[in-house]
Amino acid sequence: MKDGFIRVACGTPDIRVADCAHNADSIIALAKKAREAGVQLLALPELCITGYTCGDLFLQQTLLEGALEALKKIAKETAKLDMLLFAGLPVIHRSKLYNCAAAICGGEILGFVPKTHLPNYGEFYEKRWFAPAPDEYDYHDLWDDAVPFCQNQLFSCDTLPGLTVAAEICEDLWAPNPPSTAHAAAGATVIVNLSASDETVGKDAYRRALVSGQSARLVCGYLYADAGEGESTTDMVFAGHNLICENGVPLAESRRFENGFIFSEIDAQRLVYERRRLTTYPERKDKGYLHSTFSLPARETPLSRPVPAKPFIPSDKSARESCCEDILRIQSYGLKKRIEHSRANTCVVGISGGLDSALALLVAVRAADLCARSRKDVVAVTMPCFGTTARTKGNAELLCERLGVTLHHIDIKKAVDLHFADIGHDPQKRDVTYENAQARERTQVLMDLANETNGLVVGTGDLSELALGWATYNGDHMSMYGVNASIPKTLVRHLVAYEAQRADDEKLREVLYDILATPVSPELLPPREGEIEQKTEDLVGPYELHDFFLYYMMRWGFAPRKIFRLALYAFGEDYPRETILKWLRNFYRRFFAQQFKRSCLPDGPKVGSVSLSPRGDWRMPSDAVASLWLAEVDSL
C-alpha cells in the first residue's frame, strides 16, 4: 500500500446453484488464493453465495437461511486474510427481499449494499423476487449486530489515505444514472460491481467499453466481477468476464469462460491527484452517506500493472501509427493557421541533420501542402560551424533535396570568429560562451532571413529539451512558432520513423533512417576524427529516463520517491539503481534552474497531456527552489 498502491482482484468462484455450503467453501478457497497473490481487495459476483440463477428458489426460506450461514462461515474463515471482500447474497430486510453486496473484513460484516436498478426485461425477472434499494439508510439486525443497510455506503481504509470503496450491482452500471456516479462524488475512489451478466454475441465489447468509460468519467478504479461457469444454463450462459480499470485504462481482463481471478494494482494516490487537478470534478458531497472504516496492513504492494518505460508512446503498433498521424496533423494545422494569419510568404527552418529539425521540416512541408503552397516556400537553412560533421551536413542537404524545399547554405564560422574578436573571447576556450555564440548566431540568421522573405521562423526545440533547459537562451530557444514544443524526444524519434516508413521516395526514407541513427548532439564542439564529439545524452542523461521522470512529475504530480520506484520497475535491468538516481537528481536540478527559459516561450501547439507552455499547462516562478525535491532524491 506504499505510494498509494493496493492490489485488487475480481474473482469468479466455482459454484453450484442453491448449494450455499459448497459456494462458501469455494469463495473461501478463492479468497485464500487471492491473498497468497497479495490481494487486499476482492470483488466477487452478484448472488455468488446462492447462485444468480436460483429463480423462484429465492422465495424459499431454506435457501435464505443457508445464505446467511454461508456468509457467517465466509466471514469467519477470511478473518485473518487482511482483505476487504465483497460477496453477493439475498437478504431479507423489513419483510422485503433484496439483492445485496456484503462487505466483509476482519471477520465482520461492514455493511449490506442493496441493488438499486432491477432488470425486468428480456431474460431478466429480478422484480419477481427482489425489491429495489430503499432511498433512506437503515441498519439490519444480523447476529445481534446492527449492520448498515443502504445503497449509499462508503468503506474507507484508515491505513491508506485516499482509498474509499463503494459498491453497486450489475444493472446499476447499465442504468442511465448509476449509483457509482453519486458514490464517486461522495468520495469513493474505487467502485466494485458484483455482476451476473450473461453472455451474448458482442456483449463483451460493450461491457468492456462500459466499465472503462465509467472509470474514466468518475476518475476511479472500477472492479467488475462477473458470474461464470456453475450458474444454470437453462436459458443463459455466463462467462466470468472480469475487468479491472483505472481512470479509463484497462489494467486486467479475464479470459471468458474460465473461472478464477484476475488482479492488478489500483493507485489511489493517483486518482486523488487527478480529481484535485480537474477543476470540473465536483467538491466532495457525502451528505446522506454512511461511513465505515476498515484496516489493512500498510505493507509495500508489489507491482504487476503495466508501467511503460516510454509513457508518451503507445505500445500497440496500430495505435502508435494513429497517434503519430494525429500529432503530425495537429502540428501542421497549427502552423497552417499561423502562416495564414501572419500572411507569411515563407517558413524558415534551421536544418542541422538532427532529429528535431528534421521533424520541424517535415511539419513545415505538410503545412505548405495544406496551404496549397509550393514547397519552395519552405526555406531550409544549414549553418555549419565548428562542430558540424560531414554526416549531419550531408543528411540535412539530402533531406531538403528530397522534400523539394528551398535550401540556403550559410557558413557561420567567420561571423562567430568576428563576434569572438568583438567581445574579446579566446576561441580556444571551449566554454559556454563558445557554444552559445554559435546557437545565437544561427538564430540571428534565421530571424533576418525570415524578415528578408516576409516569413516566420519555425522552432525545432522539443519538450524534453525545454524541461531540462537544454537550449541556448535567445538562441535555439527562440522562434516565431515552435511546432515541437510539446513533443518529448522519445516521441520525436517515432514521428520521424513514421514519416520514413510511409515515404514513397526510397532516398528520403534512407536519409530519415540515417538521421534516426545519428547520435543526438548540438554539434557545438569540434568533431574528433570526423565524428560527433558532443553527445547530449552523455552530458544530461538518457532522454528515455528524463521523459519518464517528466511524465510522472507533470502528468500525475508524483513525488521523487514514487517516480524512482516506478522507474526501477519499468526499466528493469536496463539501468542500475545508481544511474537512475543520478539522472533523477539531475532532472530536478535542471528543471527548477531552467524555468526562466520556459517563462518566455514562443507559441506552439499542445499535442498531448503534458505541456510546458507558460500560457497553458505550466505556470511556475523562475526562482522556485528545488531543495525539497532534491532532499527526497538524496534520501533514496
Side-chain angles (χ1 to χ4, degrees):
M1 295 165 69
K2 184 180 177 183
D3 300 319
F5 292 110
I6 180 171
R7 180 161 288 181
V8 302
C10 296
T12 303
D14 297 316
I15 69 162
R16 297 175 187 167
V17 178
D19 191 343
C20 298
H22 169 85
N23 298 342
D25 290 340
S26 184
I27 288 168
I28 292 164
L30 189 147
K32 289 180 177 179
K33 286 183 180 179
R35 187 66 201 91
E36 289 173 2
V39 171
Q40 291 184 285
L41 171 57
L42 173 63
L44 298 171
E46 179 179 12
L47 296 168
C48 59
I49 291 178
T50 57
Y52 177 77
T53 49
C54 288
D56 284 351
L57 293 177
F58 283 125
L59 301 177
Q60 294 288 313
Q61 188 67 26
T62 301
L63 181 70
L64 302 178
E65 291 176 356
L68 288 179
E69 285 300 313
L71 178 64
K72 182 182 291 187
K73 183 175 183 180
I74 293 167
K76 180 181 178 182
E77 295 294 326
T78 62
K80 296 182 179 180
L81 293 186
D82 297 327
M83 174 188 291
L84 175 62
L85 181 151
F86 287 83
L89 77 162
V91 177
I92 300 173
H93 180 71
R94 300 196 183 279
S95 77
K96 303 301 288 185
L97 185 62
Y98 295 91
N99 178 347
C100 291
I104 310 164
C105 186
E108 296 183 14
I109 311 302
L110 302 182
F112 289 118
V113 181
K115 188 173 183 177
T116 300
H117 299 286
L118 303 179
N120 222 58
Y121 57 85
E123 63 268 44
F124 301 107
Y125 293 92
E126 290 190 31
K127 288 185 179 180
R128 181 179 175 94
W129 314 294
F130 301 112
D135 293 331
E136 66 282 353
Y137 62 81
D138 201 351
Y139 290 87
H140 180 78
D141 293 328
L142 179 71
W143 313 319
D144 298 324
D145 286 330
V147 177
F149 186 99
C150 65
Q151 165 195 308
N152 293 338
Q153 292 192 66
L154 298 174
F155 305 93
S156 298
C157 182
D158 60 10
T159 49
L160 178 52
L163 177 62
T164 299
V165 187
E168 62 185 2
I169 302 176
C170 200
E171 187 77 9
D172 287 344
L173 173 62
W174 304 64
N177 186 21
S180 52
T181 303
H183 297 340
T189 50
V190 176
I191 305 294
V192 297
N193 186 312
L194 286 64
S195 180
S197 177
D198 63 316
E199 209 64 21
T200 55
V201 175
K203 194 173 182 180
D204 61 317
Y206 185 85
R207 191 186 294 119
R208 187 182 302 113
L210 196 64
V211 172
S212 177
Q214 187 72 343
S215 74
R217 190 175 302 108
L218 302 184
V219 190
C220 71
Y222 202 103
L223 281 57
Y224 187 91
D226 193 20
E229 189 174 358
E231 291 287 356
S232 170
T233 58
T234 300
D235 291 299
M236 297 179 285
V237 172
F238 298 83
H241 187 199
N242 296 327
L243 296 154
I244 300 174
C245 294
E246 180 188 275
N247 196 18
V249 178
L251 297 180
E253 180 176 355
S254 66
R255 295 180 61 178
R256 289 181 299 151
F257 304 102
E258 291 185 7
N259 288 2
F261 69 95
I262 57 169
F263 65 83
S264 188
E265 295 78 49
I266 294 293
D267 187 348
Q269 193 178 85
R270 178 172 176 158
L271 295 169
V272 169
Y273 168 82
E274 184 70 347
R275 290 181 178 186
R276 186 169 65 244
R277 187 183 74 91
L278 296 173
T279 58
T280 51
Y281 203 87
E283 180 183 349
R284 180 170 176 167
K285 296 178 180 178
D286 56 0
K287 184 178 180 180
Y289 271 78
L290 286 177
H291 294 259
S292 299
T293 59
F294 63 96
S295 294
L296 297 173
R299 59 172 61 93
E300 181 167 314
T301 302
L303 296 179
S304 65
R305 60 183 277 161
V307 179
K310 296 179 179 178
F312 290 103
I313 302 164
S315 56
D316 177 74
K317 184 175 184 292
S318 176
R320 186 166 60 248
E321 290 177 351
S322 176
C323 173
C324 287
E325 181 60 31
D326 280 350
I327 290 171
L328 287 161
R329 287 188 177 189
I330 293 170
Q331 290 177 280
S332 56
Y333 272 94
L335 181 55
K336 171 181 179 288
K337 171 67 176 179
R338 184 53 54 96
I339 292 168
E340 293 174 342
H341 177 75
S342 63
R343 299 182 181 180
N345 291 336
T346 65
C347 286
V348 180
V349 186
I351 187 78
S352 66
L355 276 171
D356 290 344
S357 63
L359 177 59
L361 186 62
L362 290 165
V363 170
V365 166
R366 278 187 174 233
D369 292 346
L370 289 172
C371 292
R373 301 268 288 270
S374 168
R375 290 189 176 186
K376 291 297 181 181
D377 292 343
V378 178
V379 178
V381 189
T382 64
M383 295 165 282
C385 199
F386 310 126
T388 304
T389 62
R391 178 183 184 180
T392 54
K393 181 174 179 293
N395 280 342
E397 293 170 347
L398 182 56
L399 179 63
C400 295
E401 175 191 320
R402 304 317 299 179
L403 289 174
V405 303
T406 298
L407 174 63
H408 289 320
H409 175 83
I410 301 174
D411 193 312
I412 64 169
K413 292 189 188 75
K414 290 182 180 179
V416 175
D417 280 334
L418 180 60
H419 178 63
F420 286 161
D422 288 341
I423 64 173
H425 181 78
D426 181 359
Q428 296 304 311
K429 188 179 180 183
R430 307 292 168 76
D431 59 2
V432 68
T433 303
Y434 178 90
E435 296 184 16
N436 286 350
Q438 299 170 66
R440 292 194 177 103
E441 177 61 27
R442 286 176 173 136
T443 300
Q444 175 179 258
V445 169
L446 294 173
M447 291 289 180
D448 291 345
L449 269 177
N451 291 158
E452 185 77 18
T453 59
N454 189 34
L456 58 84
V457 177
V458 178
T460 62
D462 63 52
L463 180 67
S464 306
E465 293 177 342
L466 293 173
L468 296 168
W470 192 249
T472 298
Y473 192 86
N474 207 33
D476 53 313
H477 154 262
M478 191 49 59
S479 67
M480 296 173 182
Y481 196 71
V483 293
N484 296 341
S486 66
I487 302 175
K489 186 76 77 178
T490 49
L491 184 53
V492 170
R493 301 191 66 86
H494 284 274
L495 291 166
V496 173
Y498 171 75
E499 288 288 64
Q501 291 162 10
R502 63 188 293 271
D504 295 328
D505 183 336
E506 184 176 344
K507 289 186 178 179
L508 174 60
R509 187 183 309 115
E510 288 176 357
V511 70
L512 288 174
Y513 279 132
D514 196 58
I515 289 171
L516 283 163
T518 304
V520 177
S521 172
E523 291 195 315
L524 297 174
L525 295 178
R528 179 178 297 179
E529 298 179 357
E531 298 296 325
I532 292 173
E533 166 69 10
Q534 190 181 25
K535 296 180 180 179
T536 299
E537 291 182 289
D538 291 345
L539 301 170
V540 298
Y543 274 119
E544 63 178 353
L545 282 180
H546 286 307
D547 287 355
F548 186 91
F549 303 153
L550 177 66
Y551 175 79
Y552 284 105
M553 185 200 78
M554 287 285 299
R555 179 62 186 87
W556 298 108
F558 287 173
R561 64 180 180 276
K562 187 167 182 176
I563 295 174
F564 176 61
R565 178 185 176 188
L566 292 175
L568 288 173
Y569 176 72
F571 289 99
E573 298 179 358
D574 292 346
Y575 295 100
R577 171 189 172 90
E578 295 74 19
T579 300
I580 295 175
L581 270 179
K582 171 187 173 182
W583 295 122
L584 181 61
R585 192 179 204 288
N586 191 52
F587 170 81
Y588 280 107
R589 181 184 63 80
R590 293 192 65 96
F591 187 88
F592 275 80
Q594 301 292 309
Q595 172 63 27
F596 73 98
K597 295 180 182 177
R598 299 188 292 267
S599 293
C600 55
L601 285 178
D603 295 352
K606 176 179 177 178
V607 304
S609 60
V610 176
S611 167
L612 288 169
S613 168
R615 297 164 300 277
D617 290 52
W618 191 245
R619 292 166 175 81
M620 172 183 169
S622 297
D623 46 11
V625 178
S627 56
L628 281 174
W629 287 263
L630 293 175
E632 187 169 313
V633 173
D634 292 341
S635 70
L636 295 172

